Every structure is written in C-alpha cells, then in structure tokens.
Amino acid sequence: MVEPSLQHRRVAEIQQALREIPGLDGWLFYDFRGSDPLAYRVLLLDQTKHVTRRWYYWVPAQGTPVKLLHKIEPHVLDELPGDSVPYISWEEQQTHLARILTQARRIAMQYSPQNAIPYISRVDAGTIELIRSFSIEVATAADLVQRFEAVWNDAQLASHREAAEKLRLIVNEAFAHAGASIAAQPPLTEHGLQQFILSRIKAHGLVTSTAPIAAVNVHSADPHYGPAPQGSAEIRRGDLVLIDLWAKRPDPGSVYADITWTGFIGPTVPARQQEVFHIVRGTRPWPSSVPASRPGIFLAAGKWMRSAGRSFAGRATGTSFYTAPVIRSAKKSTATARTSTIWKRKTDAASCRGRVSRSSQAFISPASSASAANWTSISRTARPSSSASRSRPRSCRS
C-alpha cells in the first residue's frame, strides 16, 4: 500500500476541519502569480514554482477536491488530490468555476471583512465579486489559516527555542561590545553596533530577513528606526541604548525569535528612566502568586508577560551597562516571514494556564525577575558571566 503524500494528508486534514465548522461547505483557494502565499503554505506547495496563470483549488467538506487550471499550466497542482478541469478563456474559467461550486452556499476564502486582518486579505475584490455572483456567501478563512499555518510542530518549536536562546546570547555580546567600545576611537555608532549584531547572528548560525535595530536616546522611541551607515548617532556615556533583533535557523519551516532590550551607559540608571520602566512594567498583567519552590510563568488575562528586569552580570569595573528588556506583547502575525507567535500550538489552551516549563530567555521571564531593582551592571571590559549565559526563563510551550 502506497503511503499518501504530505499534500494528500494535508487536504484530508483540511476536510476534517471543514466538517467541524457548521454551515461551511468548503474552502476555495485561488492564486494568480503568487498573489496568495498562504495558499502555497497551507497546501504545502512549492512557492518558487513558476506560475503565470490563475488557478483555483476547491476543497469541499465532503467529496472530491477539484482543480481549475489553465491549459498552458495543467500540472501546477499535481501534488494535490482531486479532479482537474482545464480552461483557456476567461469565460470558460468562470463557467467551470460556477459549475464546480454549484452545490456550495457558503465557502471560506482568504478574505477579511473590511480588510480587518490584512495578512488574510489575499483574494482581490473582483474575485470575491465573482464568487458572490454565483449566489455564494464568502466567509473569512482566518481561523482555518491559523489552524494550518500558525500552529507549530515540534521541530518548529525547537527551532524557535534555539533561535531565542542564541539571540539572548547575542544581546549579552552586543551590550558587552558597546561597553568595551566607549573609549574607542573612532567611537562606536548605532550602525556599527547593528553591524556587530549582524555578524554575531551569522556566527551563531542564524539568518534574518532584515537588519536589527540599534537605537540611541531619542531614536529608541522610533519603533522601526534603522541606523544609516553615515550619520548614525555615536554611543557614549549617559546614553540609553535599545537593541531589537530577530532571527531564525536557515532550515525550511524554522520559526523566528524576536527580542528587545534596553541598556543605560553609566554608573546608575537615571531616576526618570527607572520610573518609566516601573510604569510600563506595571501595565502588564502579573500572577498574584508564584510557587516559591519553582517560579513559573502564567497566562494572565489572556495576555503574555514579556521579560522584565532580567539581570545579567559581569565585573563591575569602569563604565557600566545597566540593562533591562523592553516589555511588549508577543507579535502575532500568522502570515509574515518574521513571526514570533508562541500563543498557539497543537494543545488545548487550558494546558498553558498553569505553571509551565523552561524555554528561552527571549519572550517570557519568571515573575520573580520582574523588578527593575534586579538590574546589575556590566563592565565596559567585561563579558557576560557563565552563570548569566546559562540563565533561562520559562515560557509556555504553546
């Protein structure tokens, strides 16, 4: 007996999911020259394939899937199960499509009402109008896409954790490099620090879609600031430095990790910066109690707690770097290459509401580390201590 291919198994899983949704007759996939990358990812198709004509793939909740393909490109969906219907003219395409969908009254497509979720809104308005002209209601496929695109397998979860652990080491290396460069001539700039981080990302065997952010003082308030090779700010004593970096393993299917930290160059953190940090930290939901035996991480009010006041130490000589992570919500993009969704996996939500197990230091920190009083200094000549490098917070394996 021949084992079904990955694509055949995926389509069977899609049909099972469709049968679990009352009133939904099927899922219609549509693409023109790569207009819907989600279709390729959900159906496990090769996204580099040369495709120049429109194709449709109808997956009914019950019955045999159907491919509608141009006669010039009759093999673009060969990996998928189902019957094939060829077309040449646009009139023929519309006639065949109406016939394929004859029994359907409500179908899912990559459509988002009022473009509320642009990641999902991949089908153009004209195609939506065409489907509606067949007296068919178009429903959003957002939940289906999330089920098949945003849910990680074990290998993806492992790749995310590995990336997060390495990024945490790179943060230490970057702040140590900045501290050691205070007296250097010429002085280290934001762009120079950015390039150092890029070199460490490569050295740790990771890849990134775009360069990290290294921002000083007022630039740290610009969410997507990018230091230019010429004219970027110098890093000096008394500066606030923000580092935002993201990367993943180069293997196909690997998942990004993304962390942001801030550091102050000087003997003590200014009172105003500590005050703001406490205000921001206080806006995040924290558990009312943590078991003393083994502090864990809790999901409170349906939101993730990001790391706060995590400390790492070196020799306290000369100029010191006081560091603390920025508190932000975890990114929840289901359709971008750079994603850090750790909030959904093949498990029920209840399993993540109690104490959970260890993971990387990128996203979630023990509540016991939530105080800014835990900040410790790093010498400009020091490197992160071995104990700090081994330190790992905990996060939900969700």
Side-chain angles (χ1 to χ4, degrees), residues 5 10 33 71 81 112 142 166 205 266 280 374:
S5 68
R10 170 53 59 88
R33 298 194 172 196
K71 285 188 176 180
S112 178
K166 289 180 176 180
V280 175
N374 287 344

Side-chain angles (χ1 to χ4, degrees), residues 8-332:
H8 284 234
R9 291 200 297 271
R10 170 53 59 88
V11 172
E13 292 169 353
I14 290 173
Q15 290 191 294
Q16 177 60 41
L18 289 169
R19 289 191 287 270
E20 295 171 3
I21 304 174
L24 196 61
D25 298 311
W27 190 353
L28 180 63
F29 293 88
Y30 161 76
D31 180 71
F32 177 60
R33 298 194 172 196
S35 60
D36 185 8
L38 290 174
Y40 287 84
R41 296 215 293 266
V42 169
L43 295 171
L44 306 179
L45 300 174
D46 181 4
Q47 297 183 59
T48 65
K49 187 180 296 185
H50 181 61
V51 182
T52 64
R53 301 297 192 274
R54 284 175 282 189
W55 61 257
Y56 298 83
Y57 186 58
W58 169 238
V59 183
Q62 303 280 355
T64 303
V66 183
K67 314 168 199 178
L68 181 57
L69 305 164
H70 198 282
K71 285 188 176 180
I72 291 178
E73 296 174 339
H75 303 296
V76 295
L77 301 181
D78 276 358
E79 303 96 325
L80 299 174
D83 299 331
S84 293
V85 177
Y87 76 90
I88 294 181
S89 67
W90 65 267
E91 296 97 336
E92 209 175 15
Q93 174 209 143
Q94 293 186 8
T95 300
H96 289 325
L97 185 58
R99 182 178 56 80
I100 291 168
L101 300 175
T102 298
Q103 302 300 319
R105 290 295 173 263
R106 185 170 182 267
I107 70 173
M109 295 187 75
Q110 269 73 289
Y111 151 78
S112 178
Q114 300 183 17
N115 197 26
I117 308 176
Y119 299 114
I120 296 296
S121 191
R122 295 291 179 173
V123 181
D124 62 276
T127 300
I128 296 295
E129 289 172 353
L130 174 63
I131 301 302
R132 287 173 174 166
S133 74
F134 304 148
S135 298
I136 295 174
E137 178 187 350
V138 178
T140 180
D143 288 346
L144 288 165
V145 169
Q146 177 157 297
R147 176 167 176 169
F148 291 99
E149 170 63 14
V151 176
W152 298 353
N153 58 35
D154 290 339
Q156 289 174 310
L157 179 60
S159 75
H160 171 73
R161 286 180 172 147
E162 179 181 342
E165 290 173 1
K166 289 180 176 180
L167 286 185
R168 187 62 192 84
L169 294 175
I170 294 170
V171 166
N172 281 4
E173 294 168 354
F175 278 126
H177 176 68
S181 301
I182 293 305
Q185 290 297 330
L188 181 67
T189 64
E190 295 167 316
H191 182 261
L193 182 58
Q194 177 198 66
Q195 296 306 301
F196 173 83
I197 295 170
L198 278 173
S199 72
R200 298 312 302 157
I201 288 174
K202 182 178 180 180
H204 282 280
L206 302 176
V207 296
T208 183
S209 57
T210 52
I213 296 172
V216 170
N217 298 331
V218 67
H219 292 161
S220 68
D222 184 346
H224 284 174
Y225 172 72
Q230 304 298 325
S232 65
E234 297 176 354
I235 300 175
R236 302 182 179 280
R237 289 182 178 87
D239 284 344
L240 174 72
V241 180
L242 177 142
I243 296 173
D244 186 355
L245 64 165
W246 49 90
K248 69 182 185 70
R249 288 180 51 83
D251 314 307
S254 295
V255 179
Y256 272 85
D258 180 339
I259 58 177
T260 304
W261 279 67
T262 56
F264 175 76
I265 307 176
T268 58
V269 181
R272 177 57 178 164
Q273 292 186 17
Q274 292 199 44
E275 178 187 3
V276 171
F277 180 83
H278 278 288
I279 291 171
V280 175
R281 188 200 69 189
T283 65
R284 305 299 294 153
W286 299 102
S288 57
S289 62
V290 177
S293 58
R294 186 181 177 187
I297 283 306
F298 295 76
L299 192 59
K303 298 180 181 179
W304 286 104
M305 300 174 296
R306 273 196 90 146
S307 45
R310 192 68 177 172
S311 63
F312 57 99
R315 292 184 305 230
T317 59
T319 300
S320 298
F321 237 105
Y322 286 78
T323 65
V326 171
I327 305 176
R328 304 191 310 181
S329 297
K331 293 179 177 59
K332 298 182 180 179

